[in-house]
Amino acid sequence: MALRGTDAEALQQATVLALNKIAMDEPEWTFVAARLQLETLYREAASHRCYDHTRKYGDFYSLISTLIEKGIYSEKLFGAYSEAEIRELAETIDPECDLLFNYIGLFMLADRYLAKDHDRKVYELPQERFMIIAMALMMDEKTESRLSLVKEAYWALSRLYMTVATPTLANAGKSYGQLSSCFIDTVADSLDGIYLNNWDIARLSKDGGGIGIYYGKVRALGSDIKGFRGMSSGVVPWIRLLNDTAVSVDQLGQRQGAVAIYLDLFHKDIMNGFLDLKTNNGDERRKAHDIFTGVSVPDLFMEKLLEVDESGRSIGEWHTFCPHQVKQLMGWKDDKGNALGLEDFYDESDRKYFTEKYEEAVANPLLPRKTYRAMDIMARIMVAQLETGTPYMFYRDEVNRQNPNKHVAGEGRTSIYCSNLCTEIAQNMSATEIVKEYEDEDGNLVIVRKPGDFVVCNLSSINLARAVPAGVLDRVVRVAMRLLDNVIDINTISVGQAQRTNRKYRAVGLGTFGWHHLLALKGVAWESDEAVELADGVYEDIAFYAIKASMELAKEKGSYSAFEGSEWQTGRYFERRKYDSDRWKELKGAVRESGIRNGWMMAVAPNSSTAKIGGSTDGIDPLYSVEYAEEKKNFKFKVTAPDLNHITYNFYRRARHELDQTWSIRQNAARQRHIDQGVSFNLYVKHSIKAKELLNLHLEAWRQKLKTTYYVRSTSQAEIEECESCHS
């Protein structure tokens, strides 16, 4: 029954031949290669599990029993489901769904996600992985409805209508690993805060999480410490420490940790090393090449870029301050008497709270500052972006204006200081602090930490190119929202305040992939008003279905704890977006009456890996090329655009760097209106782009009210390795 060497070699040779035939004029060879690879998988799994490979799939109950015994699967599977229930679910497993995979999708699923034993022998097959995910995420549902919910989730996953994020895809149902994708922390301005953040980041990185960190509260270079002037070393040395943590604490032994650091453009260190952290020029002792950077941009800064003299030269001045000195000298307090800084205010639509405070700070003659032309700062940003792809842009006022849970902080007060590693998450944040240290009765030294809001993102994505044409968007969104909500209760996160925040707001991030694929199938050109209108319509539908699904979950299980006073509850969320059709009015009333399960619901992640498993195009990005070589450390083969034929070719042929990015921005503005969090949105530019042209793209993104932009990807850059935690 073991796989004979000659059989394996023949299959491998046939697979290689099929892969070599893949080309623009013969794209279907990818499915031939996939079927040959499936045969290899079936034979390997049958050999390890001792059944006849011609059956394709072996006994599902025996698989679970074996992998629990080997310590791969969690014993909770047997605790939640009886043998009879498992055998009933096994009847639902459909091997024919394996034929939906193209080669790269099947290869990546088998290489990275199918369960293997400790000797790396494959035991699990694709449809079993999907069923295990469905079982694991639905195990705490009510007994009378649980099996039907598992079958519904399996239906959506097996037919590639949706995917779950990489950590969930890899770890659901297993005895190790966690299920959430990314985390965001706020660093307090203290030695304790800085080192405790580093410890938390190390623990999360070990478990496979991507990290976003806000450093805007940490005092700047040359500030005082305990009254001693000029003693602070600023943010750069601490960021270098995090860089070393990211490198040394890798993700599940597979890749180094991935950390993004955000700083405000009004922080004094922004031009004193931060914008040069990843560039190749300057003092290497002040570099951090392995982290990613993001800048928090207020509307006022963008307005300063537009101030010009009679000759057209930009003359807008921009002042930067140390946050510690601002708190010392300005005397702003919250209702509990805590000192506030500039970072704690944002400009609302009806009152410019940040601008008022900024101008107060500028007018204070005792407050130290460094002053620059705003355009000089922007020029430094753009130079870094063209060399390294970063910093990311986080438009802080728009993010906070559109936050449905701003009531927690209060009017005009910042709730969201930065985004995550992939710029699609926007949730309430606050720093964790040590409030007491004491010795208990057993002589143990106890540190008491007051937990802040430590953001967690739980992700999954809808395959637009399959779900929209099939007319199943509503059904798939309902499945995805329930699965995501269940991740919150099932998951175990090593950092306690992250677990607490996760359950406080019950935030999830429902996203999409396959946008360019959908445009090609519908015969819609990327650079067209029709594409913008389609984005508006599709994402409005997704928003409607997601909010409705969360409302129905609230009826069944209760609302998130901070619902009262939120813009979901008051209806302001719907009014801001001008949702005034009959269906929206009805849903607005239902939410007010029944509540809502999840404080945030939608976020579009990059999802490169899982989009390939789904057989479609990455996220909301345009295609890299109609035909290209997919190359990683352990493989290289040709890939063509999905559903490529003489019709769709015309809608694929202008690839990423050839497209007018203004159209991409307009599409994203239409989609962003309907998304309560953010979008991982890249700008693709030629290496020869002029500074004014790149500046105009950033200004257009801001004018169109984008919340964030992700990488600036220049043709001169090597392909940027992304953290796969957010891929969903």
Side-chain angles (χ1 to χ4, degrees), residues 292-504:
F292 303 88
T293 56
V295 289
S296 178
V297 186
D299 287 346
L300 184 61
F301 176 81
M302 302 302 286
E303 292 165 7
K304 292 291 183 183
L305 293 176
L306 299 175
E307 292 183 7
V308 295
D309 62 17
E310 293 178 357
S311 67
R313 180 178 180 272
S314 178
I315 58 171
E317 279 191 337
W318 189 250
H319 304 278
T320 63
F321 306 93
C322 169
H324 174 65
Q325 291 172 337
V326 169
K327 289 178 180 178
Q328 279 184 317
L329 293 171
M330 295 310 298
W332 303 323
K333 305 282 186 182
D334 65 14
D335 54 8
K336 295 180 181 177
N338 299 312
L340 299 174
L342 280 170
E343 73 276 8
D344 296 314
F345 299 91
Y346 75 95
D347 281 350
E348 189 45 275
S349 54
D350 56 354
R351 182 176 170 185
K352 297 193 173 185
Y353 294 93
F354 169 79
T355 297
E356 291 173 10
K357 298 299 183 185
Y358 173 86
E359 290 174 350
E360 280 183 42
V362 172
N364 188 332
L366 300 178
L367 182 61
R369 81 285 311 273
K370 285 188 176 179
T371 303
Y372 307 89
R373 265 200 334 145
M375 191 59 72
D376 290 338
I377 298 176
M378 192 66 196
R380 186 84 70 87
I381 288 171
M382 293 190 295
V383 166
Q385 287 175 331
L386 291 174
E387 181 179 336
T388 71
T390 63
Y392 313 140
M393 305 292 276
F394 174 81
Y395 296 106
R396 65 188 308 277
D397 294 314
E398 185 63 19
V399 169
N400 281 280
R401 277 193 292 266
Q402 301 299 335
N403 177 15
N405 293 294
K406 61 171 66 70
H407 65 300
V408 173
E411 186 177 359
R413 289 284 310 284
T414 306
S415 301
I416 306 173
Y417 294 92
C418 76
S419 189
N420 65 318
L421 180 65
C422 301
T423 75
E424 83 277 14
I425 299 302
Q427 299 173 23
N428 288 359
M429 306 163 56
S430 59
T432 296
E433 298 178 345
I434 291 179
V435 294
K436 184 167 59 172
E437 295 183 51
Y438 67 93
E439 184 176 327
D440 68 12
E441 58 187 15
D442 296 323
N444 298 310
L445 296 177
V446 180
I447 297 175
V448 179
R449 303 172 75 188
K450 180 183 178 182
D453 283 333
F454 195 121
V455 174
V456 181
C457 33
N458 309 297
L459 304 173
S460 73
S461 289
I462 307 299
N463 185 344
L464 294 177
R466 290 189 62 81
V468 173
V472 295
L473 201 54
D474 186 6
R475 184 179 173 187
V476 175
V477 169
R478 285 200 308 273
V479 172
M481 289 297 291
R482 184 177 289 270
L483 287 176
L484 283 169
D485 186 65
N486 286 345
V487 166
I488 295 166
D489 297 313
I490 292 167
N491 199 18
T492 301
I493 302 171
S494 56
V495 174
Q497 63 269 34
Q499 184 93 322
R500 180 180 178 274
T501 304
N502 205 17
R503 292 177 178 173
K504 173 182 176 182

Side-chain angles (χ1 to χ4, degrees), residues 135-173:
M135 290 171 64
L137 299 189
M138 294 296 190
M139 66 169 56
D140 289 342
E141 294 286 351
K142 294 176 181 176
T143 305
E144 60 269 22
S145 59
R146 186 174 55 206
L147 287 195
S148 63
L149 290 171
V150 172
K151 291 175 183 178
E152 184 75 351
Y154 171 74
W155 165 83
L157 291 165
S158 65
R159 282 143 183 88
L160 305 183
Y161 288 133
M162 63 167 287
T163 59
V164 291
T166 289
T168 310
L169 184 60
N171 298 330

